[in-house]
């Protein structure tokens, strides 16, 4: 099949990275198709029948797998999707991956072996998890409790991930490249929470708790067992120090330093996202 357009499909097009990518591409007047359940045509990772309509006449795809490449079944889903993309005539896949996740690296290999041009964007922990993810509630409540100690994490801004992905989707020279995206410095979770407190002018405490106690609290809050297992995996395995280093992926692609967590905290605080009275 021959693709007769330069259409770009952005999977997870309403998520943290996807919606930013969509906005940046539209600002460049790119032909963008949002890949989400609510789009037309819709896209659902759990319903392969939705894949072909979403891939029709698409040239490039930003692949953000839900819920994460580290969950069981992800490699099989990615393999099936790459086969569908190849059949549809897609020429380039840009895969969002995670650092230090062995399962995610298996998925990277699947994409690299697909026969389609590929780029891997391997990101560290998103800064935006504190403002657009499950940690925003604890920040608003004034206490973040997690099963993680003093390990350093180079939090990366989703804005940087989006800019790198857009470059890979719209510029030459990114085929076969794996870009490790991090922020400019290591920061513990306690340090990140302290940065947020300073930016908001509010007291926001951080406390460490054991993995078993944290899992029990999540279960009592009604979180599905699979989600509990995944979060415990992230905090006890991926955050065991294996990623406690800064990489140069943002500079390699964008020619500038990555955004610092303190800048993210100040910019987010200015929006009122962490103001309990307005949230």
């Amino acid at each position: 099949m021959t693709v007769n357009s330069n259409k770009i499909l952005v999977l997870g097009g309403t998520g943290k990275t996807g919606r930013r990518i969509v906005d940046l591409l539209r600002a460049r007047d790119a032909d963008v198709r949002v890949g989400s359940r609510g789009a037309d045509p819709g896209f659902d990772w759990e319903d392969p029948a939705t894949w072909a309509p979403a891939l029709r006449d698409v040239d490039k795809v930003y692949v953000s797998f839900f819920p994460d490449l580290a969950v069981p079944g992800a490699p099989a889903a990615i393999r099936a999707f790459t086969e569908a993309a190849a059949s549809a005539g897609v020429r380039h896949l840009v895969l969002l991956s995670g650092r230090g996740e062995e399962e995610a690296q298996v998925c990277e290999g699947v994409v690299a072996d697909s026969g389609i041009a590929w780029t891997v964007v391997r990101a560290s922990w998103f800064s935006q998890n504190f403002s657009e993810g499950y940690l925003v509630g604890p920040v608003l409540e004034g206490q973040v409790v997690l099963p993680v100690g003093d390990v350093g994490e180079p939090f990366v801004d989703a804005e940087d991930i989006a800019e790198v992905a857009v470059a890979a989707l719209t510029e030459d020279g990114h085929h076969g490249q794996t870009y490790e995206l991090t922020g400019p410095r290591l920061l513990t979770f306690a340090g990140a929470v302290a940065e947020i407190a300073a930016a908001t002018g509010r007291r926001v405490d951080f406390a460490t708790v054991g993995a078993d106690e944290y899992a029990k609290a999540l279960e009592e809050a009604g979180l599905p067992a699979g989600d509990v297992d995944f979060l415990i995996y992230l905090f006890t395995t991926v955050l065991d120090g294996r990623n406690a280093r800064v990489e140069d992926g943002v500079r390699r692609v964008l020619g500038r330093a990555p955004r610092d967590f303190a800048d993210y905290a100040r910019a987010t605080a200015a929006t009122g996202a962490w103001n309990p009275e307005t949230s």
Side-chain angles (χ1 to χ4, degrees):
M1 176 179 176
T2 301
V3 174
N4 296 315
S5 74
N6 293 312
K7 188 181 292 293
I8 300 173
L9 172 63
V10 179
L11 300 184
T14 58
K16 291 186 190 72
T17 60
R19 63 180 177 81
R20 290 174 166 87
I21 292 168
V22 168
D23 288 345
L24 289 172
L25 288 171
R26 285 176 172 166
R28 297 187 178 201
D29 293 325
D31 187 2
V32 183
R33 175 176 292 160
V34 176
S36 70
R37 291 177 180 175
D40 184 16
F43 180 92
D44 186 346
W45 277 110
E46 296 182 357
D47 184 3
T50 66
W51 299 357
L55 285 165
R56 188 173 295 118
D57 296 328
V58 165
D59 188 46
K60 302 177 182 179
V61 184
Y62 174 73
V63 183
S64 175
F65 181 74
F66 181 84
D68 191 275
L69 291 180
V71 303
I78 292 297
R79 181 172 289 104
F81 177 78
T82 59
E83 291 172 356
S87 296
V90 171
R91 293 190 304 111
H92 193 173
L93 300 171
V94 176
L95 176 70
L96 175 65
S97 186
R99 297 177 78 222
E101 299 178 6
E102 294 179 6
E103 301 85 349
Q105 270 78 83
V106 172
C107 294
E108 293 176 13
V110 170
V111 171
D113 293 339
S114 67
I116 305 173
W118 59 272
T119 307
V120 169
V121 177
R122 189 187 291 164
S124 58
W125 199 280
F126 293 6
S127 299
Q128 278 73 11
N129 284 334
F130 288 98
S131 54
E132 300 173 23
Y134 62 96
L135 293 178
V136 65
V139 171
L140 288 169
E141 294 167 3
Q143 185 176 49
V144 178
V145 180
L146 294 172
V148 62
D150 292 333
V151 64
E153 173 68 15
F155 296 94
V156 66
D157 198 305
E159 301 285 352
D160 285 342
I161 300 171
E163 288 190 32
V164 168
V166 168
L169 289 165
T170 61
E171 301 171 1
D172 295 331
H174 299 288
H175 168 50
Q177 296 294 317
T178 296
Y179 298 117
E180 290 217 25
L181 307 186
T182 74
R185 61 182 170 123
L186 294 176
L187 196 62
T188 64
F189 274 76
V193 170
E195 296 271 11
I196 292 171
T200 60
R202 296 175 46 236
R203 178 172 177 174
V204 186
D205 297 324
F206 177 82
T208 298
V209 68
D212 290 343
E213 185 177 348
Y214 188 68
K216 182 179 179 180
L218 294 176
E219 291 167 358
E220 292 176 347
L223 203 67
D227 293 347
V228 173
D229 291 343
F230 175 63
L231 287 173
I232 295 301
Y233 163 76
L234 287 181
F235 285 115
T236 61
T237 301
V238 178
L239 286 170
D240 63 358
R242 68 183 65 187
N243 295 323
R245 67 186 187 281
V246 171
E247 298 289 352
D248 65 350
V250 172
R251 185 174 293 280
R252 284 174 60 197
V253 179
L254 304 179
R256 62 163 176 80
R259 293 172 171 88
D260 188 75
F261 189 89
D263 295 327
Y264 151 76
R266 285 191 292 268
T268 302
T271 69
W274 290 320
N275 185 344
E277 297 179 358
T278 60
S279 298

